[in-house]
Each structure stands twice: as structure tokens, then as C-alpha cells.
Amino acid sequence: MTTAELQEQGAIYFDKITDGFRNYKDIKLVMDEKRALAHFKNLKKEYNILKKKDKTDFFREEAMMKNYTKALAEQIVAVMDRYNNYEELEKIVICYGMELFLNSILKISIYFVIGFSIGKGVETILSIIIFGSLRKVSGGRHAKTDVGCFIMTGSIIFLAVMSPDVVNVSIKVYALIILFMNGIFICLSPCDEYFESLENNNEKMIVKWESVLMINIIFTIGIFINNYWRTIIFMVIVAQGITLIGGKEHEKKNYKSAGKYGDSIGKQECREKHTINMS
């Protein structure tokens, strides 16, 4: 079977795989879908860290911050492993999840510090809860870097927090935005590589209507509270709706170019190394 035929069947091409395997000719390599996914996620993380080292000091500091959270996550998982005896794949998955959790805690802590320091602590908490809940069920466009994610999320939160001081949203405008945002969420949510990987369309529809139901519940609460808090709710939902616009096509391009396991590593990057048939 030729390389072109393999690629048509969903294979990912790597140059000189034969030479690489000759070095391990006495070792059997067995990799199921879960192990392949975990393996390529690890490769992608290593590649991103190496790539960032060639950029500015600003991005080197970002890689350094991620290294600290990764090192802390590995220490925590190592302690947990003493009592649970995890398999290697389980340790990789738990460590990755722990790293994401610690990274999120670090960002949220910074937002809290800024919010309380400017006298907007409760507003900051409300914005984070609403925005985080909506992102969970509807997805949205992601920043390319961790620092970019921190800046984008922070901008949305503090735009909402400061908006009541400069914006006055009337009930009529609020009602029009409710209708417009319902259309955006119905048409574009869910928008995320995780949701694109779901094969069951019923699951996608359930998630879609969960997000629509959530924004309407939040909007309804906004009708019965004063204009100050209504404006914060208004700005958070509008900002989340904007992240959905254009994000759908962006995620589809990434998903198509990388194949079913595109979240693990870009297909173009894989071609430079070797071939693995994922079908």
C-alpha cells in the first residue's frame, strides 16, 4: 500500500519511520487509541515548549510559568501514585488534568486579586462564574498561547466588571440582545474541538440546548435585578457570544487538518516524522 493510499484511509505520515524502528527491531510496539492520544498530547506539549523558547522573553516566561505548574502537578501525582499505584497512562492523564487545574487556579487568583484591589470583588466573582459556566457548555474561540488566554479572559471579565460605570442598558435594548444572543447560541454552539470530536449528534444537540437554556435563565434573572448587575450579565453573555462568532469555522479547519485526533498533534507536523494508521 502506497503512502498516498494510507493517508486516504486516515493515516498520518512520518518520514524515516523505518530507520527509527530498526533501532527497536526486537521490541514490540503496541499503542491503542487512548495511548496514542496521550502520547501525541505529550509530544504536542513538548513541541510547544520548545517552540516558545525561540520567541521573546515574554513567551519564555510563559513557558517557565507552565513548567512550574507542570512540575507541581507531577509532584502531586507522584504522592497520589504511592497510595493508588496508577498505570503509566493514568498518570499521564491525571498529571495533564492537574496541570490544567493548577493553571486555571493561578489565573483566577490573579483575577480575584485585581478585582478586589479595585473594589470590584463581588462583580469579578459574578463575571467569572457566568463566563466559566457558559464556556463549559458552549465552548468558543481559544487563544493560541496561555498568556493570550489569560489576557483574553481577563479582558472579558474586567470589561464586564467596569461596564456599569459607563454603559446604561435599557430593558428594550436588553430584550433585543436576548433575541440576538439566542440566535448566536442556537446557530454556533457548541464550538470547541472537544464537541467537534463527539460522534453522536444527539449529544451535540443536548449541549447546544443546555447552553441556550442557561443564557435564558441568566437573562431572565437580569430582568428582575437592578441595572448595575444587569449590565454585567449583559456584557459577559455578549462577550461569550462574540467568541462563538468565527470560532466555529476556526475549529472545523483545525479538526479537518489534523484528522480525528487533531487535538493531539497537527497533521502537518506528523508528516515530518513517521506513519501511524489511526483507522
Side-chain angles (χ1 to χ4, degrees), residues 123-138 156-157 160 185 214-215 218-219 221 225 229-238 240:
E123 292 90 333
T124 301
I125 293 173
L126 177 65
S127 299
I128 290 173
I129 291 173
I130 296 175
F131 182 66
S133 300
L134 290 175
R135 286 291 277 192
K136 180 67 176 176
V137 297
S138 63
I156 291 172
I157 290 169
F185 276 76
M214 182 176 291
I215 65 166
I218 298 171
F219 270 136
I221 293 171
I225 58 179
W229 298 102
R230 184 189 306 128
T231 302
I232 293 176
I233 290 173
F234 163 85
M235 293 302 295
V236 174
I237 297 179
V238 169
Q240 170 58 13

Side-chain angles (χ1 to χ4, degrees), residues 134-142 184-198 204 207-208 211 240-254:
L134 290 175
R135 286 291 277 192
K136 180 67 176 176
V137 297
S138 63
R141 185 72 176 265
H142 292 281
I184 293 293
F185 276 76
I186 290 171
C187 294
L188 301 180
S189 68
C191 174
D192 195 289
E193 62 270 17
Y194 167 74
F195 299 116
E196 289 295 334
S197 67
L198 293 177
K204 292 182 181 179
V207 173
K208 177 188 292 289
S211 66
Q240 170 58 13
I242 291 172
T243 69
L244 296 176
I245 299 173
K248 194 77 170 179
E249 190 62 30
H250 175 75
E251 297 298 348
K252 283 183 178 179
K253 287 181 180 179
N254 286 346

Side-chain angles (χ1 to χ4, degrees), residues 16 35 56 92 160 233:
K16 298 184 179 179
R35 290 182 181 275
T56 63
I92 292 172
I233 290 173

Side-chain angles (χ1 to χ4, degrees), residues 13-219:
Y13 179 68
F14 292 78
D15 272 341
K16 298 184 179 179
I17 184 173
T18 306
D19 295 339
F21 279 139
R22 284 198 187 106
N23 297 328
Y24 302 94
K25 60 183 179 180
D26 297 324
I27 300 175
K28 290 184 179 180
L29 300 179
V30 180
M31 186 178 289
D32 59 18
E33 292 181 359
K34 289 184 178 180
R35 290 182 181 275
L37 182 63
H39 173 68
F40 284 124
K41 275 187 176 180
N42 191 47
L43 284 178
K44 182 180 179 182
K45 287 166 61 182
E46 292 177 358
Y47 172 79
N48 286 337
I49 289 174
L50 289 174
K51 187 167 65 173
K52 289 183 178 74
K53 288 181 180 178
D54 295 330
K55 296 183 178 180
T56 63
D57 290 340
F58 180 74
F59 289 105
R60 288 196 186 101
E61 301 228 345
E62 176 196 3
M64 188 179 298
M65 180 182 73
K66 293 184 73 173
N67 284 338
Y68 286 143
T69 55
K70 181 179 179 180
L72 180 57
E74 288 174 346
Q75 291 295 322
I76 293 172
V77 173
V79 174
M80 295 168 61
D81 186 43
R82 295 175 191 169
Y83 301 96
N84 297 280
N85 295 321
Y86 296 122
E87 292 184 1
E88 191 61 31
L89 177 60
E90 290 178 315
K91 286 194 285 187
I92 292 172
V93 173
I94 294 171
C95 187
Y96 180 66
M98 183 66 69
E99 183 182 349
L100 292 179
F101 173 75
L102 292 173
N103 208 348
S104 298
I105 290 297
L106 177 60
K107 292 175 185 176
I108 291 172
S109 298
I110 294 173
Y111 297 148
F112 281 167
V113 169
I114 295 173
F116 280 98
S117 66
I118 61 176
K120 301 278 187 177
V122 178
E123 292 90 333
T124 301
I125 293 173
L126 177 65
S127 299
I128 290 173
I129 291 173
I130 296 175
F131 182 66
S133 300
L134 290 175
R135 286 291 277 192
K136 180 67 176 176
V137 297
S138 63
R141 185 72 176 265
H142 292 281
K144 293 182 179 179
T145 66
D146 198 49
V147 169
C149 174
F150 173 76
I151 293 173
M152 183 184 78
T153 304
S155 298
I156 291 172
I157 290 169
F158 289 105
L159 174 65
V161 165
M162 303 304 295
S163 61
D165 297 332
V166 294
V167 177
N168 184 17
V169 180
S170 67
I171 289 294
K172 289 183 179 180
V173 172
Y174 192 72
L176 289 173
I177 291 299
I178 289 176
L179 295 175
F180 182 69
M181 285 295 108
N182 269 276
I184 293 293
F185 276 76
I186 290 171
C187 294
L188 301 180
S189 68
C191 174
D192 195 289
E193 62 270 17
Y194 167 74
F195 299 116
E196 289 295 334
S197 67
L198 293 177
E199 296 181 359
N200 190 333
N201 286 328
N202 289 334
E203 293 180 4
K204 292 182 181 179
M205 291 302 296
I206 289 171
V207 173
K208 177 188 292 289
W209 291 111
E210 281 178 351
S211 66
V212 173
L213 178 62
M214 182 176 291
I215 65 166
N216 281 286
I217 290 173
I218 298 171
F219 270 136

